[in-house]
């Protein structure tokens, strides 16, 4: 009997090691891992460079309090701001923490300019921003909130794709609109570029901040460093996590100088967040992702993957409803519940994970090889034939 609480319905499989795109189970089988810890192991398992950089740091210093200057964090923050819209960074340990901090940054900004009443956050109904009390209330999901009352005030919601309901939901108290650029848990639904541009315009007009949750879709996943870069817009606040740590727990909030101005000493903190060990791994991940041609290759290789998946869709028009996503954040939407399909893929040694709306999420590491994609395609083809 497991001593772990039952808040997860775990698959009956455990792994003893991983290498690149592959996982090796305790019972001696090799799996192609296109889950990668849910877009966390951005550079695959046991990446030699990440191991080397982590060891180097581990021998020097793991943790010091944020009461002191942490040079590794200064470096990582500089690199993140140099490459993006942001001027300023707060490090955290996870996505949900980054979301919480983003909400605090938005509210504190308006407070600091004498508009404390402007404090409500507008989100997409049934979105996903993590599992803390604030994050489940931001999601507007009854299921995630069930049993965790009282409801936390301060969040309003609009329906995905319903621009009328969005405009109606904005009022004088709206501080920020917070959405995922690509809805990772919600069925790999991409917010179209023109929508993002429109959203930016609305925010400018109404003096509202735009928070883009890039916890899952950021850090190169879509073939640009941030998914919103495809739309050529600039948000005000961006929570990140998952991929930036490459498997090491690491989250952050990126923001403009303007909104960061509210975060004066004492307004926010974390004990572990931004420690030298995490920062060194983050820097090592960026060393790889910022390499010339790395992001371009994601665009190229993912295009190949979509093409092949679409061929399977054409051959199975009653099984596969849509192939969608951006870069290596891929959704294969079936007409019916995908549980059995996912299980069959696993039986054939391909690991994938479900998302909302009957969608199977396919998340290769960002340095996946074409030959590995070919293995996946072969398995998906085979399983499709069995349905
Ligand atoms: C995973 C995720 C979160 C929460 O991150 P945790 O590290 O699990 O707390 C928040 N937002 C999005 C879009 C995510 O995919």
């Amino acid at each position: 009997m497991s001593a772990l609480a039952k808040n997860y319905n775990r698959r009956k499989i455990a792994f003893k090691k991983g290498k690149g795109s592959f996982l090796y189970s305790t019972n001696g089988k090799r799996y192609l891992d296109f889950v990668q810890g849910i877009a966390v192991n951005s550079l695959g398992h046991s990446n030699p460079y990440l191991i080397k950089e982590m060891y180097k740091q581990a021998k020097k210093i793991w943790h010091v309090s944020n009461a002191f200057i942490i040079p590794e964090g200064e470096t990582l923050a500089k690199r993140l701001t140099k490459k993006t819209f942001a001027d300023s960074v707060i490090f955290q340990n996870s996505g949900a923490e980054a979301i919480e901090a983003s909400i605090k940054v938005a509210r504190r900004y308006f407070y600091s300019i004498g508009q404390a009443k402007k404090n409500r956050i507008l989100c997409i109904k049934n979105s996903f921003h993590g599992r803390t009390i604030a994050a489940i209330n931001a999601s507007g999901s009854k299921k995630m909130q069930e049993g965790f009352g009282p409801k936390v005030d301060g969040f309003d919601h609009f329906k995905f794709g319903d621009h009328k309901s969005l405009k109606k939901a904005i009022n004088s108290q709206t501080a920020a609109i917070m959405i995922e650029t690509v809805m990772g848990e919600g069925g790999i639904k991409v917010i179209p570029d023109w929508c993002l541009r429109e959203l930016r315009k609305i925010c400018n007009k109404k003096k509202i901040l735009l928070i883009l949750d890039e916890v899952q879709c950021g850090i190169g996943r879509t073939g640009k460093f941030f998914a919103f870069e495809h739309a050529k817009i600039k948000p005000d606040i961006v929570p990140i996590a998952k991929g930036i740590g490459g498997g090491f727990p690491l989250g952050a909030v990126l923001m403009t100088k303007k909104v960061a101005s509210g975060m004066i000493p004492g307004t926010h903190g974390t004990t572990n967040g931004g420690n030298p060990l995490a920062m060194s791994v983050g820097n090592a991940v960026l060393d790889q992702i910022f390499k010339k041609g790395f992001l371009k290759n994601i665009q190229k290789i993912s295009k190949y993957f979509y093409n092949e998946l679409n061929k399977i869709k054409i051959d199975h028009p009653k099984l596969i409803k849509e192939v969608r996503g951006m870069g290596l954040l891929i959704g294969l939407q079936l007409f019916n519940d995908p549980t059995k399909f996912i299980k069959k893929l696993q039986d054939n040694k391909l690991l994938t994970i479900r998302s909302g709306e009957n969608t199977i999420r396919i998340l290769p590491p960002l340095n996946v090889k074409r030959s590995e994609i070919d293995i996946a395609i072969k398995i998906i083809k085979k399983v499709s034939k069995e349905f």
Side-chain angles (χ1 to χ4, degrees):
M1 253 270 280
S2 173
L4 293 170
K6 296 190 176 19
N7 57 322
Y8 272 101
N9 191 9
R10 294 170 196 274
R11 299 188 205 176
K12 305 266 173 300
I13 179 168
F15 305 100
K16 59 183 175 200
K17 66 171 188 179
K19 196 163 188 346
S21 296
F22 293 95
L23 273 174
Y24 298 80
S25 67
T26 47
N27 61 356
K29 287 177 182 147
R30 188 183 83 153
Y31 291 85
L32 182 58
D33 179 18
F34 280 6
V35 178
Q36 292 291 337
I38 314 193
V40 167
N41 306 315
S42 43
L43 300 168
H45 295 280
S46 305
N47 183 287
Y49 182 71
L50 295 195
I51 293 172
K52 190 180 91 192
E53 291 299 301
M54 199 185 83
Y55 262 121
K56 237 191 334 197
Q57 185 59 46
K59 281 188 237 166
K60 287 192 276 187
I61 186 166
W62 290 23
H63 177 82
V64 287
S65 165
N66 276 303
F68 303 98
I69 290 171
I70 300 173
E72 298 81 6
E74 297 284 343
T75 303
L76 183 54
K78 271 261 157 57
R79 295 176 79 190
L80 284 169
T81 53
K82 217 173 146 191
K83 284 273 180 184
T84 67
F85 77 99
D87 305 303
S88 196
V89 181
I90 296 175
F91 288 113
Q92 305 278 173
N93 306 286
S94 69
E97 273 187 347
I99 293 290
E100 294 263 346
S102 299
I103 295 165
K104 285 180 74 176
V105 167
R107 287 182 177 160
R108 186 74 195 191
Y109 164 69
F110 284 109
Y111 173 87
S112 74
I113 60 165
Q115 298 183 36
K117 286 211 174 107
K118 219 166 144 97
N119 56 24
R120 302 189 69 85
I121 314 291
L122 183 53
C123 310
I124 292 176
K125 181 102 190 134
N126 294 321
S127 53
F128 185 85
H129 299 290
R131 295 293 199 146
T132 61
I133 292 286
I136 60 175
N137 280 274
S139 77
S141 154
K142 269 213 178 93
K143 199 175 149 212
M144 269 196 278
Q145 289 167 24
E146 194 181 342
F148 299 113
K151 214 170 155 48
V152 173
D153 193 19
F155 299 95
D156 300 306
H157 297 94
F158 67 98
K159 275 201 222 119
F160 175 85
D162 183 347
H163 301 138
K164 260 194 206 143
S165 95
L166 162 63
K167 280 180 189 146
K168 232 174 80 187
I170 296 172
N171 59 45
S172 61
Q173 282 180 276
T174 307
I177 296 176
M178 177 166 78
I179 60 167
E180 290 170 76
T181 322
V182 181
M183 296 176 74
E185 304 294 316
I188 318 294
K189 290 199 291 203
V190 179
I191 314 282
D193 289 353
W194 69 269
C195 275
L196 286 173
R197 287 195 284 266
E198 215 35 52
L199 208 55
R200 181 69 268 181
K201 270 191 214 151
I202 292 170
C203 287
N204 289 351
K205 199 168 137 214
K206 305 264 182 190
K207 298 200 165 29
I208 296 169
L209 301 174
L210 180 59
I211 305 175
L212 292 178
D213 179 349
E214 295 247 353
V215 169
Q216 190 159 158
C217 62
I219 323 301
R221 181 59 48 190
T222 67
K224 295 235 185 229
F225 190 69
F226 282 129
F228 62 75
E229 290 172 21
H230 294 276
K232 300 191 169 58
I233 59 149
K234 286 186 176 154
D236 301 287
I237 302 171
V238 173
I240 60 171
K242 293 192 168 89
I244 183 67
F248 198 95
L250 171 54
V253 182
L254 275 64
M255 67 206 112
T256 62
K257 194 162 73 192
K258 181 181 96 173
V259 298
S261 64
M263 302 307 283
I264 56 171
T267 49
H268 192 57
T270 159
T271 301
N272 284 288
N275 79 27
L277 200 51
M279 297 297 95
S280 291
V281 178
N283 274 312
V285 169
L286 290 192
D287 288 345
Q288 301 291 314
I289 290 181
F290 287 164
K291 267 198 180 144
K292 205 165 176 279
F294 188 89
L295 294 173
K296 271 265 150 41
N297 187 55
I298 293 171
Q299 295 176 16
K300 204 174 96 192
I301 208 161
S302 61
K303 204 173 271 172
Y304 173 70
F305 206 164
Y306 287 107
N307 271 340
E308 294 301 308
L309 288 171
N310 272 310
K311 282 186 208 160
I312 303 176
K313 176 185 172 256
I314 289 166
D315 287 341
H316 301 276
K318 289 198 177 121
L319 174 69
I320 300 166
K321 191 172 173 191
E322 193 179 21
V323 180
R324 61 180 177 230
M326 229 185 191
L328 291 171
L329 181 51
I330 302 170
L332 188 67
Q333 188 185 34
L334 304 189
F335 282 100
N336 296 307
D337 183 283
T339 310
K340 275 195 194 134
F341 199 93
I342 290 169
K343 175 70 172 51
K344 283 227 164 172
L345 292 175
Q346 181 174 308
D347 292 342
N348 284 277
K349 311 293 181 296
L350 171 62
L351 301 175
T352 60
I353 193 158
R354 69 182 303 145
S355 173
E357 305 192 348
N358 295 336
T359 305
I360 299 163
R361 213 170 349 169
I362 304 172
L363 299 162
L366 303 183
N367 53 4
V368 65
K369 296 190 186 87
R370 197 170 155 136
S371 59
E372 292 161 350
I373 289 178
D374 285 334
I375 298 173
I377 288 293
K378 211 170 146 189
I379 297 170
I380 296 166
K381 236 180 227 169
K382 177 171 179 260
V383 169
S384 296
K385 278 198 191 111
E386 290 167 17
F387 268 77

